[in-house]
Amino acid sequence: MAPLLYFATAHPERIAGLAFGVRGRGVRELLPDVDLAVEEENGETAQDRLQHRWRPGVGILACGPEPMLRGIARRYGDNPDTYVSLEARIGCGFGACQGCSIETSTGMQRICREGPLFACSEVPWLR
Ligand code: FES
């Protein structure tokens, strides 16, 4: 959440909205000023918020656990401006070991070098 909050603060003109979700309510104490969907409170997830707030023509930048990213890719992957931030175990962190490589529509790419942000259209295995 930290880089997304930073980006939203630094470039508010580029943000149509934020949809943050967490499982436990304890996070509220850590982030009292952030509008959170707290699954433990009412079952609402970040994906639920996104579904209610997103409108065609608006890009999506998603960061979170892979099941959530898969759900977003399935629902919004046809939107050309849907991006996912992927994670992998990082070995070297500068592109030498290939340990973070993933298959994309244009071949193998390293999350630490070419990523971590990929267009959903580049990672069809997410859907
Ligand atoms: S962590 Fe080594 S290439 Fe990405």
Side-chain angles (χ1 to χ4, degrees), residues 89-101 110-113:
R89 290 191 187 275
I90 299 297
C92 67
F94 57 88
C97 73
Q98 310 289 319
C100 64
S101 296
R110 298 161 295 182
I111 288 177
C112 75
R113 294 292 290 191

Side-chain angles (χ1 to χ4, degrees), residues 4-56:
L4 297 177
L5 286 170
Y6 172 78
F7 186 83
T9 303
H11 304 283
E13 74 284 357
R14 302 189 72 185
I15 299 294
L18 297 168
F20 289 118
V22 295
R23 287 236 166 105
R25 64 176 60 106
V27 177
R28 275 202 195 286
E29 295 172 24
L30 298 172
L31 300 166
D33 299 329
V34 177
D35 181 26
L36 295 171
V38 180
E39 195 170 353
E40 187 179 83
E41 290 176 353
N42 59 10
E44 185 183 26
T45 66
Q47 284 187 74
D48 296 331
R49 288 227 169 156
L50 182 59
Q51 183 178 345
H52 291 113
R53 295 178 179 183
W54 182 78
R55 60 187 184 283

